[in-house]
Amino acid sequence: GRYIVSELDSKLIARAKFQVITPSKAIAHYLQVPHLSLESLAQNIVRRRGLGVAGALSSRRLLQDAVRKVIKTRDIAGTARAYLTTVKDLLGSGIDLHRLQTTPDLRIQELARLTLAYQERLRKNRWIDGAELYWQGALGAQYQKYYTFYGYFAPSQAELTLINAIAGAKSIFVLPLDELYPKNLQAASWLQSKGWERSTPEAPTNTARKLQLQQCFKQKSNLSPATRLRTFSDLEAEVRGTLAQVKVLQSQGVALQKMVLVAREEQLYGETIIDVAWEYNLPVQIAYEIPLEQTRLGAWFKLLLEVIRDNFPFEATAKLLSHPLAARMSPEQWRSARESHPQGLAAWQQLGIDLSLIDCATSYTRSAWSDHLLAILTDWDVLENVRVWAREVVAYYRLQSGLKELSPTPSSSAPPLPRQVLISEINELLALLTVPVQPGRGGIELHCPTALFGTNYAHVFVFGAVEGILPQAIADNPLLDFHSRQQLVNRGFNISTAKDLALRETWDFYCMLNVPKESLTFSYPQLIDRSPSLPSPYLSRLGLKPSPIDNLLPLASIEEARRLYLRQPDLLTANHTLAITSITHSFQVENNRESARAPDQYDGVIGIGIDPQQKIFSASQLIQLGQCPFKWFSARLLKLQELPEAEADLGAAVRGNLYHRCLELALREVKTAEDLAQFNRQQLEGAFSAAERELKLSQLPGWSAQRQEHLELLALNLAKAEFLPTGREVLATETDFQMQWHGLKVRGQVDRIDRSDRGLTVIDYKTSSTTPPGVKDAAGKANLDLQLALYQDAIAEQYRNEPIDAAAYYSLTKQKTIGRPQKKTDELAAFAQRVKVHLQQGYYPVAPDRDRQACRYCNYDLVCRQGDRLSRKPISFQDVVE
């Protein structure tokens, strides 16, 4: 006969001579038998029938075709994506779709028609959907063998049907029967109607002690003291705390194979566990899968597709060539690429980089596209570059098989496929194909609860014991909501309802409680993604109360020990193996930087004096020093600068140079307002073209579209009476000077000097619309104008017999004068004295003006790291002088 038992000794199963069918590798490993699942058996049966399981991309494509026929919508891809889960749910439930079309609900009728149309298209290609695998396997079962089915503790009707179809005489189905989950009692009754017998299990031969947590969950016994609940501040702290407990047990001689990590949402914890376990030198094995696009290979391949689609744009191509999986660009080529920003294949080829293989300007058939992309992977040695990562090797072969799926039946008569269509399909493929997040063997394993049914581990650690995760929140499906599902059940259809899902969550937790033998530790973070969490209701049913252990955890890694010992120098001295001089020194530098101590050499106070007469300043240098000494120190003494980069747009500096040079050329023959009135547009355009050629602006992308705007702006300025008022004469433009200014050597260039009856007027052109900030005044604000004051002194020295009437900033953007600051001679003299002190004492602290004007356009923020810490620094300029 065929037998149903509620429990079977695992040691008896291991000694049995018949095949054991288990749903997960963890259960098979526990039973010490080869892993063979119902899924693999069904696939073999279906394959013998000449059918295949449709791949992710093929099934999505066929579903879109069905949507196009059945549903009136413009968004075919979006609609197919929305219906996919519901269609698979119907196929997996085994519902009679023709009968489903007779229901009064129009939405359900449409859903049934869509599923039938999708199924029809699958059959035309000799395919089935993965959701109907068990049903199709049961239809094609021709041979019955004796099996033991173990680990299927909450079987679906499809699984039961397949088990009944393939199980021969002497087969055993281990099915726990409990009033807590009535579905299993119904399953047993159904199997009995098919000739199965219920049997009492033999007495277990293993005497391993269990915690009897299932009885406690039913509130029929007291909670074992070996069951604990730990709370942590956040998810990373929870992972660190749990893995630290694992390390403690490991140090006590407990093998990692006797411990297991459990998470209802593995993907929420997986990456953090991998990172922390690496730091703790703790091997882990994680089996859940992630989309191919989340791997290194997937990210690189998406870049490749972007480069092909957009015809070799600079940023995407640079990322592609500098990616670790390709690395086909030398430092010299990268430097040249930054300076020129190549766009298009020819420009990249000029740098000596051969990209001809990925030039896909023409259209190909699907088969040719697949072959071409596979050739790129081979020619660029991608497989060799991914060998250091096990996950990436798996991703490589998954990608290979996925690309071959693009054209399952190559044909020379197939129409060419535009690259936009293919790239869209491949991006979809990268999102659908999955790979194990941490493939390999050995180490402590992370599993979801259902993968451990029927196993035993000495120590079990359960992550995320919070409401909404354990149990998982039950979400309604808007296409087939719970009310509609209940109506279908009332009509005799077999489909899961909200009650079924809730019971299944409870049953899964109940079965998991039978896994631990010596200890069970629940944990949860108080915050998940900055949102507070509540403990799982299952915990209160067990009578568990939280006990935080954040401050009681041992140091589980060298890195954690260093972080603690750096704050306790005595401990660091006693542990020479942890004392790394560079780490200690860097930590001390950071402490000083953030403390209230005076600035030191790492904040610009170098203590190396310079003779002020050895430096020649420009007005902009003095303003830079007067706004923030560290900014001038970084630029002029350290000579820090960014790597040369091609301009993608007309920057502020280049724009200023363009306007200044154009006006210089245009005003050579213009002296008065009358001359300016005779100045015509052709003359301006000639001056503009000359300045444009000198600055090589034609190389800027999109310059032809911007050119006219700048030309019109200059024309508007020349048409304004305020640009050159009546009664004034242009005396000189772009006048160079060099002088001694309060004991400092200064040189520069004045944009324009006008003469009138009242004297000379000094004019400085600005492309901004506001008065530029000056140097810091006594209050620390950048309000002390230096530039025009310095220009007045320079012009007064050159034109000794003529008085200075005024000095003004003229905005070319606003076409008007925007400021005539007053010259403050005493304050400027004091500023010059401060500059000398800065140089003589080597004192250049991070001390921007109070309103942080100096920080708005500063390239050295990563070096100075200004912020709240500056409010703690005792920086007083009076202290500097003293």
Side-chain angles (χ1 to χ4, degrees):
R2 301 184 295 180
Y3 303 98
I4 305 169
V5 298
S6 59
E7 185 178 358
L8 191 62
D9 189 0
S10 60
K11 290 187 176 181
L12 293 178
I13 292 178
R15 291 197 299 267
K17 296 181 180 180
F18 41 74
Q19 285 184 307
V20 180
I21 311 301
T22 60
S24 70
K25 290 182 179 179
I27 300 175
H29 183 263
Y30 167 73
L31 299 176
Q32 299 179 356
V33 297
H35 179 229
L36 185 62
S37 66
L38 276 178
E39 183 179 5
S40 60
L41 287 175
Q43 287 174 347
N44 291 335
I45 296 171
V46 168
R47 196 176 297 115
R48 286 196 297 267
R49 293 175 54 197
L51 298 174
V53 179
L57 182 61
S58 299
S59 61
R60 185 68 65 91
R61 195 183 300 160
L62 293 178
L63 181 58
Q64 290 176 2
D65 190 32
V67 167
R68 190 177 290 106
K69 177 182 178 182
V70 175
I71 300 177
K72 295 181 180 179
T73 178
R74 294 182 178 180
D75 185 9
I76 301 297
T79 304
R81 191 162 46 248
Y83 274 84
L84 180 63
T85 302
T86 310
V87 168
K88 285 183 174 291
D89 198 5
L90 290 179
L91 291 175
S93 64
I95 284 180
D96 184 347
L97 297 173
H98 293 284
R99 181 177 163 223
L100 190 64
Q101 291 185 96
T102 63
T103 58
D105 193 324
L106 297 180
R107 291 181 307 156
I108 296 179
Q109 291 180 20
E110 183 181 64
L111 186 58
R113 290 197 303 272
L114 174 64
T115 308
L116 282 169
Y118 169 58
Q119 200 174 49
E120 178 184 353
R121 283 156 177 75
L122 286 170
R123 297 300 184 269
K124 286 182 179 179
N125 291 274
R126 303 294 295 169
W127 284 335
I128 66 169
D129 188 89
E132 55 180 342
L133 176 63
Y134 292 156
W135 295 105
Q136 294 297 323
L139 289 174
Q142 299 177 356
Y143 307 101
Q144 291 185 328
K145 298 182 180 179
Y146 47 94
Y147 298 107
T148 292
F149 303 94
Y150 190 84
Y152 296 92
F153 288 180
S156 65
Q157 187 58 46
E159 290 171 328
L160 289 173
T161 304
L162 179 59
I163 289 173
N164 179 65
I166 64 176
K170 302 182 183 179
S171 293
I172 299 174
F173 182 20
V174 181
L175 181 65
L177 301 176
D178 194 289
E179 68 278 2
L180 193 66
Y181 192 59
K183 294 286 266 186
N184 277 5
L185 297 173
Q186 299 170 12
S189 299
W190 183 84
L191 288 174
Q192 286 179 285
S193 69
K194 301 297 182 181
W196 291 69
E197 303 176 25
R198 290 179 59 173
S199 175
T200 303
E202 301 180 23
T205 57
N206 57 331
T207 57
R209 179 174 61 89
K210 294 185 179 180
L211 301 180
Q212 301 301 323
L213 291 171
Q214 290 183 334
Q215 294 300 315
C216 179
F217 188 72
K218 291 182 175 181
Q219 299 179 346
K220 294 181 179 180
S221 67
N222 295 325
L223 185 67
S224 167
T227 306
R228 296 175 293 271
L229 172 61
R230 308 296 193 191
T231 62
F232 297 89
S233 57
D234 55 28
L235 190 143
E236 182 178 346
E238 179 189 10
V239 171
R240 288 185 175 276
T242 302
L243 294 187
Q245 297 174 68
V246 172
K247 290 280 284 186
V248 169
L249 290 173
Q250 186 186 32
S251 67
Q252 294 172 355
V254 180
L256 293 178
Q257 290 73 19
K258 294 184 178 181
M259 297 179 276
V260 70
L261 307 175
V262 182
R264 182 63 179 82
E265 290 190 8
E266 297 171 280
Q267 297 196 27
L268 179 64
Y269 283 88
E271 293 293 342
T272 306
I273 290 175
I274 291 172
D275 294 341
V276 176
W278 176 84
E279 178 187 328
Y280 285 6
N281 194 24
L282 186 68
V284 295
Q285 184 179 345
I286 303 178
Y288 75 85
E289 299 201 340
I290 59 174
L292 191 59
E293 65 182 1
Q294 295 181 16
T295 64
R296 292 179 179 89
L297 178 64
W300 177 82
F301 205 76
K302 286 176 75 72
L303 275 175
L304 174 66
L305 298 175
E306 183 180 347
V307 169
I308 294 174
R309 182 194 65 198
D310 298 338
N311 193 25
F312 302 90
F314 168 69
E315 290 189 5
T317 309
K319 289 179 182 178
L320 177 74
L321 297 175
S322 58
H323 196 280
L325 300 189
R328 299 176 68 89
M329 187 162 49
S330 67
E332 293 75 18
Q333 289 171 327
W334 172 229
R335 191 177 300 110
S336 300
R338 287 179 64 98
E339 292 176 358
S340 61
H341 277 211
Q343 304 281 343
L345 177 62
W348 282 101
Q349 300 280 40
Q350 290 176 0
L351 298 180
I353 303 174
D354 185 12
L355 298 177
S356 56
L357 185 61
I358 61 175
D359 180 20
C360 303
T362 59
S363 298
Y364 304 104
T365 63
R366 273 198 170 90
S367 178
W369 270 115
S370 177
D371 294 341
H372 192 81
L373 293 173
L374 290 172
I376 294 174
L377 294 177
T378 303
D379 185 74
W380 284 32
D381 296 325
V382 174
L383 179 59
E384 187 64 30
N385 294 331
V386 302
R387 287 193 185 280
V388 293
W389 301 290
R391 179 172 71 184
E392 303 306 317
V393 174
V394 177
Y396 180 88
Y397 289 111
R398 291 276 175 93
L399 178 60
Q400 262 194 338
S401 62
L403 290 176
K404 293 175 182 177
E405 186 187 342
L406 285 174
S407 181
T409 55
S411 174
S412 58
S413 61
L417 187 68
R419 60 183 177 182
Q420 291 83 357
V421 175
L422 177 108
I423 288 171
S424 176
E425 289 186 0
I426 298 180
N427 281 324
E428 189 175 12
L429 183 72
L430 294 175
L432 295 174
L433 295 179
T434 59
V435 294
V437 67
Q438 184 84 342
R441 296 180 179 179
I444 186 170
E445 300 176 1
L446 172 70
H447 291 290
C448 65
T450 55
L452 299 175
F453 286 174
T455 65
N456 286 135
Y457 288 84
H459 305 280
V460 178
F461 299 90
V462 182
F463 290 105
V466 297
E467 186 176 328
I469 296 180
L470 193 71
Q472 191 175 49
I474 298 175
D476 206 351
N477 184 340
L479 295 175
L480 189 61
D481 55 43
F482 289 136
H483 174 75
S484 300
R485 287 170 177 266
Q486 188 60 52
Q487 295 299 318
L488 291 177
V489 170
N490 295 340
R491 291 177 173 272
F493 292 98
N494 178 32
I495 193 167
S496 297
T497 63
K499 180 180 178 182
D500 295 332
L501 297 177
L503 285 175
R504 176 62 189 270
E505 286 289 322
T506 304
W507 178 248
D508 289 348
F509 182 81
Y510 178 79
C511 292
M512 184 193 68
L513 294 178
N514 208 34
V515 174
K517 293 191 296 186
E518 296 183 22
S519 73
L520 173 62
T521 303
F522 292 97
S523 62
Y524 70 87
Q526 295 174 334
L527 289 176
I528 298 179
D529 293 334
R530 300 184 180 182
S531 299
S533 57
L534 297 174
S536 168
Y538 294 156
L539 302 179
S540 59
R541 189 165 174 175
L542 286 171
L544 276 172
K545 295 183 179 180
S547 54
I549 60 169
D550 292 43
N551 299 325
L552 303 177
L553 293 176
L555 300 175
S557 69
I558 296 294
E559 289 75 11
E560 284 186 349
R562 285 174 181 153
R563 283 196 291 270
L564 175 65
Y565 290 176
L566 280 173
R567 293 171 173 81
Q568 301 181 33
D570 295 339
L571 289 176
L572 188 61
T573 304
N575 292 268
H576 299 290
T577 57
L578 302 177
I580 296 180
T581 305
S582 60
I583 294 178
T584 308
H585 177 70
S586 299
F587 182 71
Q588 188 60 46
V589 169
E590 290 304 312
N591 270 346
N592 293 341
R593 192 192 297 268
E594 295 295 330
S595 69
R597 298 177 184 175
D600 55 16
Q601 65 268 35
Y602 298 99
D603 264 328
V605 182
I606 60 175
I608 302 175
I610 299 176
D611 184 358
Q613 287 298 311
Q614 294 181 355
K615 298 293 295 182
I616 299 179
F617 292 92
S618 66
S620 60
Q621 286 188 43
L622 287 174
I623 292 172
Q624 196 176 52
L625 181 57
Q627 291 178 349
C628 178
F630 188 86
K631 186 175 182 179
W632 180 85
F633 169 67
S634 300
R636 304 299 174 178
L637 294 187
L638 295 182
K639 298 187 183 301
L640 301 180
Q641 59 182 350
E642 296 179 340
L643 291 174
E645 185 87 26
E647 293 285 349
D649 200 356
L650 189 66
V654 179
R655 180 173 174 237
N657 291 336
L658 171 66
Y659 289 1
H660 279 70
R661 182 59 176 156
C662 182
L663 291 176
E664 179 188 4
L665 296 174
L667 297 181
R668 281 179 176 176
E669 304 300 328
V670 173
K671 298 299 181 183
T672 64
E674 291 74 13
D675 295 338
L676 187 60
Q678 301 299 320
F679 190 80
N680 57 45
R681 180 63 176 260
Q682 289 75 18
Q683 291 173 289
L684 176 62
E685 289 184 354
F688 189 89
S689 297
E692 178 184 27
R693 287 192 298 272
E694 290 180 15
L695 298 174
K696 300 179 180 179
L697 296 182
S698 59
Q699 298 179 4
L700 288 175
W703 170 245
S704 58
Q706 305 175 40
R707 184 181 186 278
Q708 191 65 26
E709 177 185 351
H710 298 291
L711 184 60
E712 292 295 337
L713 179 62
L714 291 172
L716 287 174
N717 278 281
L718 297 180
K720 290 283 185 178
E722 190 174 352
F723 182 77
L724 181 57
T726 303
R728 289 218 315 238
E729 174 191 3
V730 177
L731 181 61
T733 60
E734 306 300 330
T735 304
D736 295 327
F737 69 85
Q738 185 167 339
M739 66 173 180
Q740 283 282 342
W741 185 77
H742 297 291
L744 299 172
K745 291 182 179 180
V746 182
R747 67 183 176 192
Q749 191 177 69
V750 179
D751 292 340
R752 198 176 99 199
I753 306 169
D754 289 356
R755 176 187 283 153
S756 66
D757 295 340
R758 294 188 299 273
L760 302 181
T761 300
V762 178
I763 298 174
D764 189 69
Y765 298 134
K766 294 296 179 185
T767 54
S768 62
S769 58
T770 58
T771 303
V775 299
K776 288 186 291 187
D777 58 15
K781 293 192 172 187
N783 291 335
L784 180 59
D785 182 75
L786 170 69
Q787 186 173 6
L788 285 181
L790 194 150
Y791 287 175
Q792 290 180 65
D793 290 345
I795 297 307
E797 188 174 301
Q798 290 190 14
Y799 297 88
R800 297 180 182 275
N801 298 325
E802 298 191 47
I804 303 296
D805 176 47
Y809 292 113
Y810 182 87
S811 172
L812 296 172
T813 302
K814 291 292 186 179
Q815 303 118 47
K816 66 178 182 179
T817 299
I818 55 174
R820 294 184 175 87
Q822 295 296 317
K823 180 179 176 182
K824 301 177 181 179
T825 305
D826 294 341
E827 293 185 36
L828 290 171
F831 166 72
Q833 181 61 29
R834 293 199 296 269
V835 171
K836 297 176 189 176
V837 174
H838 277 299
L839 298 176
Q840 292 166 348
Q841 295 188 3
Y843 187 84
Y844 314 103
V846 180
D849 59 280
R850 181 171 296 180
D851 298 326
R852 306 287 171 90
Q853 297 274 1
C855 303
R856 292 185 179 179
Y857 304 102
C858 181
N859 296 325
Y860 312 105
D861 52 331
L862 296 179
V863 184
C864 78
R865 290 190 282 177
Q866 54 87 15
D868 293 340
R869 71 182 188 89
L870 297 185
S871 62
R872 299 188 287 272
K873 292 293 182 184
I875 301 176
S876 168
F877 201 84
Q878 188 62 32
D879 296 339
V880 180
V881 177
E882 293 175 357

